[in-house]
Amino acid sequence: MNAYRTHNCGELRKEDIGKTVKIAGWVQGNRNLGGLVFLDIRDQYGLTQAVTSGESELVDEVSRIPTESTVSLEGIVQHRAEEATNKNMPTGEVEILINKIEVLGKRTQIMPFEVNSEIEAREDLRLQYRFLDLRNEKLKNNILLRAKVIQFLREQMIERGFTEVQTPILTSSSPEGARDYLVPSRVHPRKILCFATSTTAI
């Protein structure tokens, strides 16, 4: 798909066993079981488990990667041990045996709140660290649902011959964390208007 991945984290199945693949995402979990290190890698599509070999030189390196760091790893898809199979996950029958791993962005500070915890963080804290809050599963799903609804409505309108006309919107700031930009006005000399916009990434 690109330099960082051949598959997303919700894509691999038992039909892919034996393939050499590459995935990228956030480290959701890091478990060192004495020589075997398990990583749960998450992106917007799902979750995939990766594991080091007991003889691998990567064990020490992988065990020190903090959660919520961003990584890209390459390895061979293998069947999980029978007792470790997770029927509740689409990728729960497979895991990736890591051959190479690259840390794209390492978390260097203590998290202000747990991204995927059932404990609800304070709203002001979530707004302050919006880039972390956007990784939350519930919020992510809401954003994706909103995008799909808007896309569906747009497609329906276009099919019926409507033309979409986009115009700039001048407005005040919103409580959702939009950034305010000052826009000079030629209609009103020596005055400025407030233009609010926001950028969202998953």
Side-chain angles (χ1 to χ4, degrees):
M1 296 171 68
N2 56 47
Y4 303 107
R5 68 183 184 191
T6 57
H7 297 74
N8 65 52
C9 292
E11 191 173 353
L12 297 174
R13 301 290 187 273
K14 61 182 180 181
E15 291 78 21
D16 297 302
I17 290 174
K19 292 181 181 178
T20 298
V21 300
K22 220 174 173 185
I23 62 170
W26 294 290
V27 177
Q28 179 160 311
N30 188 329
R31 307 183 301 283
N32 189 339
L33 302 184
L36 285 179
V37 182
F38 292 88
L39 293 182
D40 295 325
I41 310 298
R42 179 190 81 247
D43 64 11
Q44 75 174 77
Y45 304 101
L47 187 75
T48 296
Q49 179 173 284
V51 61
T52 62
S53 165
E55 298 78 30
S56 173
E57 299 175 356
L58 294 170
V59 171
D60 193 45
E61 177 188 352
V62 171
S63 65
R64 293 199 305 266
I65 300 175
T67 57
E68 292 307 316
S69 298
T70 312
V71 300
S72 174
L73 64 85
E74 180 181 303
I76 300 172
V77 181
Q78 62 182 20
H79 201 286
R80 285 199 199 187
E82 193 64 36
E83 65 275 9
T85 300
N86 187 343
K87 300 294 185 181
N88 298 320
M89 283 175 55
T91 60
E93 293 185 277
V94 298
E95 62 188 9
I96 298 175
L97 181 63
I98 304 171
N99 292 332
K100 299 178 188 174
I101 189 164
E102 179 185 2
V103 179
L104 304 175
K106 186 175 182 180
R107 175 175 67 80
T108 58
Q109 298 180 11
I110 297 175
M111 298 284 287
F113 56 86
E114 291 297 326
V115 171
N116 279 293
S117 171
E118 294 181 1
I119 301 174
E120 197 72 30
R122 298 197 324 264
E123 185 175 8
D124 61 324
L125 200 60
R126 289 172 50 219
L127 291 175
Q128 181 181 354
Y129 296 95
R130 188 64 164 172
F131 64 96
L132 292 177
D133 195 33
L134 289 172
R135 301 182 190 183
N136 180 272
E137 185 74 12
K138 181 179 178 181
L139 183 58
K140 180 205 75 173
N141 289 337
N142 288 343
I143 291 173
L144 292 177
L145 176 61
R146 182 178 184 273
K148 290 177 182 178
V149 169
I150 292 174
Q151 181 183 1
F152 172 79
L153 294 174
R154 180 175 284 117
E155 289 172 351
Q156 293 298 310
M157 297 290 280
I158 291 173
E159 284 180 11
R160 286 161 174 74
F162 286 83
T163 299
E164 181 177 354
V165 179
Q166 296 181 347
T167 58
I169 300 174
L170 296 173
T171 181
S172 60
S173 60
S174 66
E176 288 78 19
R179 297 180 179 179
D180 296 342
Y181 292 91
L182 299 178
V183 182
S185 172
R186 289 176 292 181
V187 180
H188 305 282
R190 296 181 301 280
K191 293 185 178 180
I192 53 177
L193 300 172
C194 182
F195 178 63
T197 185
S198 62
T199 302
T200 300
I202 301 179

